[in-house]
Amino acid sequence: MQNAAVPAAITRRHALTVAGGVLAAATLAQTVPAFGAETQDADAIVVGHGLAGLVATAELAAAGRKVLLLDQEPEASLGGQAFWSFGGLFFVDSDEQRLMGVKDSQDLAWQDWLGTAGFDRGVDDPTGQDYWAYKWAEAYVDFASGEKRSWLSGLGVQWFPIVGWAERGGGLADGHGNSVPRFHVTWGTGPAVVEPFEKKVRAAVAAGKVTFKFRHRVDGIVTTNGTVTGVRGAILEPSDAARGKASSRTVVGEFELHAPVVVVTSGGIGANHDLVRQNWPARLGTPPKSMVTGVPAHVDGRMLGITEQAGGRIVNPDRMWHYTEGLRNYDPIWPNHGIRILPGPSSMWFDATGKRFSTPDIPGYDTLHTLGSITASGYDYSWFVTTQKILAKEFALSGSEQNPDLTNKDVWQLLSRIWQTPEPIEKFKKNGVDFVVATTLSELVRGMNKLTGDNLIKLDDLQRQIDARDREIDNPYTKDVQVMGIRNALTYVGDSLSRTASAHKIMDSSAGPLIAVRLNVLTRKTLGGLQTDLSGRVLDATGTPIPGLYAAGEVAGFGGGGVHGYRSLEGTFLGGCLFSGRAAGRAAAAATAT
């Protein structure tokens, strides 16, 4: 692993040490003021009770600090977006990989991370947008290659033994994508990732170390002589809104709370489509007029602007991660609720006019490149054309609620995937507005055109492209890159067992019926955010830490204001919350040591 952009005084090991807070006590002792007990409500305030906030709070409480944990949502939403996740985690050279015969290494993972991130904004400049992002990336790959798995395993977290292969890349060894499978699905999905940290925090509540402040919406960060000393905001009326449901914004009071450190862990902007479009980069074309939403309504990005007003620097705001395979949820939990298909490699992918995408716009290969290709088509959607055989083996749906077998740790239900299509997928096929099912291609085309109302799909043209692809199945060799990818996937035991259908012709009647799926753009993650150093301290425009102010999780671009760079290797969002929340919590605890 190269270390050219990291000063000699900070090695990879030092980076982890800093992130753990050992050096933070020395570096912060002169910047965090000693307040008298009468001026403090707690030793620390954490804003946001998602995964990063729970981890930071757990670390502070473990160090003996008294913490106020604030969130505008009711208690039902404790755990935030992580609860709804599939629970995927990025590990390097794990026990599960070795079980599957996967040879991975830290050097290979770093090669993939650098090729994917594409850091190009001042990596060597202390004021550059990517200066701290690069350092966070290096520290995170060290973490994922080292103690991450053992740390979580020690907390009782377990993983499904078959490792998934996400974001397979653009075709070059040193370019974007995972060279090997690294997507480890947590046994119990997102709720099982949240659970050990929620337990720690609730135990700290019982011990008097942590106080929940639900329905407390932060509207401003309080500063005294240039140092952050607390937060102020509105108390919202009590709400019995279920997890994920939009809650009332009726104000019933005000508050101002004081502590020597404030840790912002408020998440991203995915539910705020206006903010998504405002920050949409030109490189991804014109932002879609219509998108579905992959996160609850409270993921609104408010704290980004509020922290910026307190002097925090936002970097890389144009870097974001939105999925291209979104379905409109027929049974929505939050407004405009979208669900992502996690596809295997076999479905044919067409733009809205029926033109097949070329490499690397293949299912599961390069999300953002495909997003740019969709917007370049002039339409907001695209199509999968597939078979029941492919759907049954290769389709998975994002979200803990869409995977009851994994979420509920039901082994028998999980094994039933071997002989039947998972029930949630069949329900979407039956009830989802984006599915067309037919026995003939002409019937399928009529259904596709009826669904969109624009008559863009021409039967002869679609037939020609499918027949051309099907001819490539006749031999074990091919010039079709997607067919190469299918055969490559089938050499990996994990894919052949659970994620890739045997190579077959789309027009093979025994594999039918034919299925077309309209795919919508689905908003999800913020890759940029508040710039932080390796202790999670929020930096100002000059690169100077703002005394008393920390950030972690998605609001900090999962560390440094952009640890992923331009793209993600997947399985790195929950991990980013864990790593940055731990780093900020430990550093804030060290800074408030007496």
Side-chain angles (χ1 to χ4, degrees):
M1 182 185 297
Q2 296 181 10
N3 201 32
V6 181
I10 303 179
T11 64
R12 288 195 297 270
R13 188 56 52 202
H14 287 153
L16 288 177
T17 302
V18 173
V22 176
L23 290 183
T27 59
L28 299 180
Q30 297 179 348
T31 61
V32 176
F35 289 90
E38 70 278 7
T39 65
Q40 294 186 55
D41 295 293
D43 298 314
I45 294 170
V46 177
V47 182
H49 65 201
L51 181 59
L54 289 174
V55 174
T57 300
E59 291 292 341
L60 282 156
R65 307 296 177 264
K66 290 190 174 182
V67 187
L68 300 178
L69 179 54
L70 280 62
D71 201 283
Q72 65 184 355
E73 296 307 304
E75 185 172 2
S77 288
L78 191 69
Q81 174 60 20
F83 179 92
W84 298 107
S85 74
F86 196 35
L89 290 169
F90 176 94
F91 296 129
V92 179
D93 193 27
S94 69
D95 293 350
E96 291 78 15
Q97 285 177 303
R98 289 191 289 273
L99 177 67
M100 290 286 101
V102 175
K103 296 180 180 180
D104 200 6
S105 68
Q106 182 172 329
D107 286 341
L108 183 61
W110 183 237
Q111 171 182 299
D112 288 347
W113 196 287
L114 285 181
T116 296
F119 295 122
D120 60 2
R121 295 174 175 174
V123 171
D124 300 312
D125 179 359
T127 65
Q129 294 187 76
D130 280 339
Y131 182 76
W132 287 105
Y134 181 99
K135 288 173 168 47
W136 271 95
E138 190 174 37
Y140 182 75
V141 172
D142 282 345
F143 178 60
S145 306
E147 66 173 312
K148 179 182 177 183
R149 188 187 180 283
S150 60
W151 175 57
L152 292 171
S153 180
L155 295 173
V157 184
Q158 297 177 308
W159 297 274
F160 185 58
I162 297 178
V163 184
W165 195 356
E167 285 295 296
R168 306 186 187 204
L172 295 177
D174 60 354
H176 168 57
N178 286 293
S179 297
V180 298
R182 296 192 178 104
F183 191 84
H184 296 67
V185 177
T186 301
W187 186 232
T189 67
V193 179
V194 173
E195 181 181 14
F197 302 100
E198 180 179 345
K199 284 183 176 179
K200 284 177 176 288
V201 171
R202 289 194 182 278
V205 171
K209 291 295 185 182
V210 174
T211 301
F212 285 128
K213 294 285 186 180
F214 303 113
R215 305 299 282 158
H216 279 60
R217 184 188 71 197
V218 173
D219 296 327
I221 293 173
V222 178
T223 59
T224 304
N225 298 323
T227 295
V228 168
T229 56
V231 295
R232 58 175 174 78
I235 301 173
L236 306 179
E237 68 177 354
S239 172
D240 60 0
R243 182 184 292 276
K245 294 287 188 179
S247 62
S248 164
R249 291 296 179 260
T250 300
V251 174
V252 297
E254 297 179 346
F255 70 89
E256 184 166 320
L257 298 167
H258 296 275
V261 296
V262 172
V263 186
V264 179
T265 61
S266 55
I269 68 173
N272 188 336
H273 287 201
D274 290 338
L275 201 53
V276 167
R277 292 188 179 96
Q278 178 183 320
N279 290 288
W280 193 273
R283 65 181 176 276
L284 291 179
T286 302
K289 294 179 180 178
S290 174
M291 297 182 284
V292 292
T293 308
V295 293
H298 60 77
V299 186
D300 55 16
R302 288 183 71 254
M303 282 304 299
L304 279 164
I306 290 167
T307 311
E308 187 177 33
Q309 290 173 5
R313 182 190 185 196
I314 296 174
V315 295
N316 303 310
D318 61 318
R319 293 180 183 169
M320 52 186 71
W321 190 255
H322 306 305
Y323 290 113
T324 50
E325 312 99 334
L327 304 174
R328 297 183 186 278
N329 195 343
Y330 67 89
D331 186 19
I333 296 170
W334 51 80
N336 196 32
H337 188 175
I339 294 292
R340 184 202 175 197
I341 297 173
L342 287 76
S346 301
S347 297
M348 295 185 71
W349 205 337
F350 298 87
D351 71 15
T353 69
K355 179 182 178 183
R356 187 184 180 193
F357 288 124
S358 61
T359 184
D361 303 329
I362 298 169
Y365 275 68
D366 192 333
T367 294
L368 284 199
H369 190 282
T370 307
L371 178 57
S373 296
I374 291 170
T375 58
S377 75
Y379 296 88
D380 295 344
Y381 66 93
S382 59
W383 290 100
F384 276 169
V385 173
T386 191
T387 67
Q388 178 67 32
K389 182 176 180 179
I390 293 171
L391 177 139
K393 186 75 173 282
E394 297 190 6
F395 276 33
L397 300 175
S398 65
S400 54
E401 81 284 9
Q402 298 298 330
N403 295 275
D405 49 356
L406 290 164
T407 300
N408 298 326
K409 303 181 181 180
D410 187 327
V411 175
W412 176 253
Q413 190 177 15
L414 180 65
L415 289 174
S416 73
R417 293 188 184 215
I418 297 172
W419 62 82
Q420 65 182 12
T421 307
E423 184 180 10
I425 294 171
E426 279 296 323
K427 284 185 174 180
F428 260 93
K429 191 182 78 172
K430 178 181 178 181
N431 302 314
V433 298
D434 295 305
F435 283 79
V436 179
V437 181
T439 56
T440 67
L441 191 60
S442 60
E443 181 187 355
L444 190 76
V445 168
R446 286 195 299 271
M448 295 165 74
N449 285 331
K450 181 179 179 181
L451 179 59
T452 61
D454 50 24
N455 295 313
L456 293 173
I457 307 297
K458 307 303 179 186
L459 174 60
D460 290 348
D461 194 40
L462 195 67
Q463 181 81 64
R464 176 187 58 79
Q465 294 174 89
I466 293 174
D467 287 347
R469 178 265 187 203
D470 280 358
R471 291 186 189 101
E472 299 292 314
I473 301 297
D474 287 333
N475 294 289
Y477 42 85
T478 179
K479 72 174 182 179
D480 189 288
V481 173
Q482 184 175 9
V483 176
M484 291 180 193
I486 294 167
R487 290 177 173 147
N488 187 41
L490 289 170
T491 65
Y492 167 50
V493 64
D495 274 353
S496 64
L497 284 173
S498 67
R499 292 290 285 141
T500 305
S502 59
H504 64 276
K505 296 183 178 183
I506 298 295
M507 297 306 298
D508 180 352
S509 59
S510 68
L514 293 169
I515 300 167
V517 189
R518 178 179 59 185
L519 305 173
N520 309 277
V521 174
L522 177 126
T523 63
R524 186 59 67 86
K525 294 299 180 186
T526 311
L527 299 189
L530 297 168
Q531 191 171 41
T532 59
D533 66 10
L534 287 169
S535 295
R537 297 183 295 177
V538 177
L539 307 179
D540 65 16
T542 69
T544 303
I546 298 172
L549 187 58
Y550 298 76
E554 192 173 349
V555 75
F558 302 91
V563 67
H564 299 92
Y566 287 94
R567 290 181 173 89
S568 167
L569 286 171
E570 291 285 23
T572 55
F573 299 134
L574 292 178
C577 290
L578 294 168
F579 185 54
S580 62
R582 190 179 80 155
R586 290 181 177 182
T592 52
T594 55

